[in-house]
Amino acid sequence: MSTACTLAFDLPDGTVEEVAVTTLLNGGYAGRSQDDVAAHVRELAELGVPAPSVTPSLYPVSPYLAQQTTTVPAQHQKTSGEAEWALVVTEDDVLLTVACDHTDRALEVHGVAWSKNASPDVLGRKAWRLSDVADRVDSIELTAWADGVEIQRGTLAELLTPQYWVDRLRELGLLKPGTVLLSGTIPMHHGVEQFASKWRVELRDPATGDVIDCGYEVTLLPDPIG
């Protein structure tokens, strides 16, 4: 039985690109600045998550968890998202879109890879062709809001480049149609409340004013019986 799901992306030229996701990967600790990486390690350490042995990290995630949804079910209130961008490999191109990596923080203390598989990676419904924005990718802005409060803001210059990950996927033999990779995140603002019921993340291209966003509500599942 296939675990692939099909995503559809609206492109600026008016076309729609459909992709059946067969490989889903989450980058971690992927800041270009080691200070930013250390800040993220500290953020997670406050939640009891041990430091990684290698950075950047790369976590395989079940492909069906790549979703374009407006609702994320959760088993408890200790889950939260992260502002990220995502690469989507199609039959003949590579797309760039926005993403929010929703993570089970209670499970994360037992294993980061496990926690990534407990909630979906929510992707935008629009995308840009990476080749169309490659010359200005560092200037693209990445922002997240939790319950309407800004929780993250930065640019793609703070993260390892899309080209870095394209090259890494090629080395791993994974630069093929159906691969989706999330970038890892930028630091959160100090003192924010990340356990929120509503999340929104956007990419904004200052050169054009074009925005790609995704947003969703976190809904608690009923208590288990038994």
Side-chain angles (χ1 to χ4, degrees), residues 30-38 157-159:
R32 245 182 274 183
S33 162
Q34 287 304 301
D35 289 341
D36 285 352
V37 171
E158 297 179 47
L159 296 166

Side-chain angles (χ1 to χ4, degrees), residues 36 43 82-84 138-146 148-159 185-190 192 199-206 211:
D36 285 352
E43 287 169 0
E82 294 179 342
E84 309 201 7
D138 278 0
S139 67
I140 292 175
E141 299 164 356
L142 178 62
T143 311
W145 295 265
V149 177
E150 185 181 287
I151 192 170
Q152 293 173 282
R153 177 179 290 274
T155 67
L156 270 56
E158 297 179 47
L159 296 166
T185 195
I186 57 178
M188 290 187 181
H189 298 329
H190 181 70
V192 297
W199 282 83
R200 185 166 74 87
V201 181
E202 74 171 32
L203 286 177
R204 180 179 180 277
D205 182 357
V211 171

Side-chain angles (χ1 to χ4, degrees), residues 98-210:
V98 73
C100 194
D101 169 16
H102 204 79
T103 301
D104 186 321
R105 301 302 179 187
L107 185 58
E108 193 172 36
V109 300
H110 302 288
V112 174
W114 295 350
S115 71
K116 299 297 184 186
N117 278 276
S119 298
D121 287 335
V122 181
L123 287 87
R125 297 178 183 273
K126 294 170 54 180
W128 300 311
R129 297 188 188 278
L130 180 57
S131 58
D132 288 344
V133 297
D135 63 343
R136 59 181 185 276
V137 72
D138 278 0
S139 67
I140 292 175
E141 299 164 356
L142 178 62
T143 311
W145 295 265
D147 285 342
V149 177
E150 185 181 287
I151 192 170
Q152 293 173 282
R153 177 179 290 274
T155 67
L156 270 56
E158 297 179 47
L159 296 166
L160 293 173
T161 65
Q163 189 58 51
Y164 169 88
W165 286 113
V166 167
D167 294 340
R168 190 76 180 102
L169 290 175
R170 185 179 290 109
E171 291 172 2
L172 295 170
L174 294 173
L175 190 65
K176 55 187 179 182
T179 293
V180 174
L181 179 141
L182 272 66
S183 63
T185 195
I186 57 178
M188 290 187 181
H189 298 329
H190 181 70
V192 297
E193 175 54 61
Q194 63 175 306
F195 299 121
S197 61
K198 293 183 180 179
W199 282 83
R200 185 166 74 87
V201 181
E202 74 171 32
L203 286 177
R204 180 179 180 277
D205 182 357
T208 63
D210 196 13

